[in-house]
Amino acid sequence: MGALVPGGVLAFDAGNSKTDVALVAADGTVLGTARGGGFEPQRIGAAAAVDGLEPLVRAAATAAGMRVGDVPLVQQISACLANADLPIEVEQLTAVFEDRGWAESVYVTNDTFALLRSGLDEPRGVAVVCGAGINCSGMLPDGRTARFPALGKLTGDWGGGAQLAEEAFWSASRADDGRGPATALLSALPMHYGLPSLTAVIEAFHFGELPAERQLEAAPVLFQVAAAGDVVALGIIQQQAEEIVAMAVSALRRLDLLGERVTVVLGGGVLTAGHSVLLDRVTKLLADVAPKAIPRVVDVPPVVGAALLGLDHTAAGASAQERLRTAFAPPPAA
């Protein structure tokens, strides 16, 4: 194969914990893929973060019978990146990708847009991601977008697995010492961690006997307790549902889609886990405010959305999009 794939796309879905790369031909054929670690430009700088993608580009190009030294590889880079939250971050990362010369044209955006596009048949809709944190994005075919800084409480965000875990411990602690109402979280959390009391769990985290990352396990416990009817746990889930819908409605309103028939894509680990206690509330609250909106939970590789955005930029047709989706479709059930 030659040095350039005419009309081809080099797609990146780079998250905090993993990065997927796909090299796609103009007709939607997947020529090569690769997976690597997380993407953290806010910690190591834009140039170093993009340098860390070079082995993945090389692996995808090798799978396609190409050499990274033969640049440009493709017509279009479509890079959907975690921590590309602010306009200045997008500008810096775009400049670094352009310097690498991997493509004739570069498009950089936040990784929420990869999820959004993966759940749409056309670039028109809104997506809410609720995983470790929470974020939202929206787009229209004319290029207009809606997005949020998504820097946590500093920018008005509430929710995601990390905060749900904190809320579970907060509520259990207040029930334990009398500052708050009774909740089954007080017994469910120690049971989950295999310790005799909530105090023992907290001391284990405080002294490092339990690694800090295991605090995230409190979020699934919260959902279990809520599903059993615990009022306190249900209140936390209700607030999470309200926040998901508030973000979606804000994006819909900013794009003049609030009264339109439009898809609201839902993704991220908290939303794709299938907790009906959350999804039912999101569906009801959304219907109350945006009755024509259609919620859709999507659990496909977001790199599909990144590649579709790239094909949008190269004006590829519907057949190319369908071929790309088919390549990433899960195998049929036995």
Side-chain angles (χ1 to χ4, degrees), residues 48-77:
V50 176
D51 284 344
L53 300 177
E54 194 274 341
L56 304 183
V57 175
R58 185 180 300 278
T62 299
M66 304 172 69
R67 298 184 303 273
V68 174
D70 297 333
V71 293
L73 297 169
V74 293
Q75 176 182 334
Q76 181 71 47
I77 276 178

Side-chain angles (χ1 to χ4, degrees), residues 46-240:
V50 176
D51 284 344
L53 300 177
E54 194 274 341
L56 304 183
V57 175
R58 185 180 300 278
T62 299
M66 304 172 69
R67 298 184 303 273
V68 174
D70 297 333
V71 293
L73 297 169
V74 293
Q75 176 182 334
Q76 181 71 47
I77 276 178
S78 177
C80 298
L81 311 173
N83 305 303
D85 296 308
L86 303 176
I88 184 62
E89 293 171 321
V90 172
E91 292 173 11
Q92 291 171 345
L93 288 162
T94 299
V96 175
F97 274 102
E98 289 174 342
D99 286 343
R100 296 301 178 271
W102 293 330
E104 296 174 334
S105 181
V106 173
Y107 172 70
V108 171
T109 191
N110 185 264
D111 60 338
T112 56
F113 285 91
L115 170 72
L116 172 58
R117 187 64 180 89
S118 72
L120 301 175
D121 295 325
E122 61 174 346
R124 177 182 179 273
V126 165
V128 181
V129 181
C130 190
I134 189 169
N135 200 353
C136 177
S137 62
M139 65 168 61
L140 291 173
D142 64 9
R144 283 184 292 158
T145 62
R147 58 189 302 167
F148 297 81
L151 302 178
K153 284 194 172 182
L154 186 66
T155 53
D157 310 325
W158 191 97
Q163 183 155 5
L164 291 175
E166 288 182 356
E167 296 294 328
F169 276 107
W170 187 88
S171 296
S173 292
R174 292 173 70 86
D176 194 26
D177 63 23
R179 286 178 292 171
T183 171
L185 288 165
L186 181 56
S187 59
L189 287 170
M191 183 180 300
H192 172 78
Y193 291 103
L195 292 171
S197 67
L198 183 69
T199 299
V201 175
I202 292 170
E203 288 178 352
F205 279 120
H206 180 68
F207 291 113
E209 296 164 4
L210 284 174
E213 57 267 22
R214 288 200 62 192
Q215 291 181 30
L216 292 172
E217 297 172 17
V221 176
L222 172 69
F223 279 103
Q224 293 167 8
V225 171
D230 184 83
V231 173
V232 170
L234 284 170
I236 298 170
I237 302 305
Q238 177 69 20
Q239 184 171 355
Q240 180 65 91

Side-chain angles (χ1 to χ4, degrees), residues 1-38:
M1 183 177 294
L4 173 68
V5 179
V9 172
L10 184 60
F12 298 84
D13 170 54
N16 287 297
S17 60
K18 65 175 177 61
T19 297
D20 283 322
V21 175
L23 201 159
V24 179
D27 67 354
T29 300
V30 178
L31 304 175
T33 62
R35 172 169 286 189

